[in-house]
Amino acid sequence: YARGESIRMMLTHAKQPFEDNRIQMGDWGSMKNNTAMFEFGQMPMVELENGQRITQTKSILRSLGQKYGYYTSDPKEAWVIDSTMDATNEMFELFAIPILGFCPPEKKPALLFELLTKKLPTFLERMEKRVSGKKFVCGDRITCADFLLGGLLTNTLGNENNPHYYAFQHILKSYPAVSKYMENFVEANKEYLAKRPAA
């Protein structure tokens, strides 16, 4: 599950119909330089009803989040949402390099070891403090930050098809607040999670 998954989750949670077009990696090379379609040469991209195309995952989540009630007008809460999204996006990059193979094969074992023993525990320790005693990042209300953070955790640590699933589960035992947060996120998004294809 890649960057677009958080957007699919949010739109489904908002009960907004959307057409889900997934591009295969083999086709992407000939498409990514089409800047009229993909402004920065990256996915995901959302085409709105008026034909406007918006890109960049966090910006899409904030824009649609404002439209459907998943963002905020409070500066302090906006910082909580945005900083969670920034930290989660950085973690996504760290997952992608060794797990998705965006590195030379000979470097993968060392990068994976560092991810499992240092980077992931550090991230989870910080998120443990952020979600402790709360249902979601900002309390009882789910926000666009949760679709990014909860999505990353569910799609990687909670994904039984991930080859590192049992290692992730062992690490998660040390972070009960994050584990409870994941349960809350899964429950809030069970409609989408029940019907999405396995990956």
Side-chain angles (χ1 to χ4, degrees):
Y1 303 114
R3 297 183 186 276
E5 197 69 359
S6 57
I7 300 166
R8 297 183 190 104
M9 287 179 172
M10 188 168 74
L11 288 173
T12 302
H13 190 273
K15 301 190 183 308
Q16 297 299 316
F18 62 95
E19 185 178 346
D20 187 10
N21 294 315
R22 303 187 186 219
I23 297 172
Q24 300 302 313
M25 287 302 294
D27 299 326
W28 175 235
S30 63
M31 299 177 67
K32 64 181 180 180
N33 293 326
N34 181 354
T35 55
M37 182 72 71
F38 305 101
E39 183 178 10
F40 297 101
Q42 296 175 326
M43 293 187 286
M45 179 273 288
V46 173
E47 185 170 346
L48 305 176
E49 291 179 354
N50 64 3
Q52 180 187 4
R53 297 183 178 112
I54 59 175
T55 58
Q56 300 296 315
T57 307
K58 293 185 297 179
S59 297
I60 293 170
L61 286 169
R62 278 192 292 267
S63 179
L64 296 180
Q66 287 181 331
K67 183 174 182 178
Y68 297 122
Y70 298 111
Y71 200 58
T72 183
S73 59
D74 177 75
K76 184 177 180 180
E77 191 174 54
W79 172 81
V80 174
I81 292 171
D82 290 344
S83 61
T84 299
M85 292 172 71
D86 287 341
T88 302
N89 192 58
E90 291 171 5
M91 195 67 220
F92 181 93
E93 298 287 348
L94 294 173
F95 269 103
I97 293 171
I99 292 179
L100 298 181
F102 295 157
C103 64
E106 65 274 13
K107 292 186 177 182
K108 182 175 178 177
L111 289 172
L112 186 59
F113 179 79
E114 184 178 30
L115 172 68
L116 295 175
T117 61
K118 296 180 181 179
K119 301 294 187 180
L120 179 57
T122 297
F123 176 74
L124 292 175
E125 181 180 345
R126 291 167 182 167
M127 289 302 126
E128 181 80 0
K129 295 176 182 177
R130 183 153 288 199
V131 301
S132 182
K134 296 186 289 186
K135 187 174 183 180
F136 298 112
V137 169
C138 290
D140 289 338
R141 183 175 72 89
I142 194 168
T143 69
C144 49
D146 296 297
F147 293 105
L148 201 63
L149 173 61
L152 176 67
L153 296 174
T154 304
N155 300 337
T156 53
L157 278 66
N159 184 356
E160 294 182 8
N161 292 320
N162 191 305
H164 309 290
Y165 173 75
Y166 293 104
F168 291 150
Q169 292 302 300
H170 178 73
I171 294 169
L172 264 178
K173 290 178 182 178
S174 299
Y175 306 96
V178 171
S179 298
K180 181 60 179 176
Y181 169 84
M182 286 177 62
E183 291 177 14
N184 294 335
F185 181 80
V186 168
E187 176 62 25
N189 293 277
K190 60 185 178 182
E191 177 185 349
Y192 178 79
L193 295 172
K195 67 180 182 181
R196 72 174 177 175

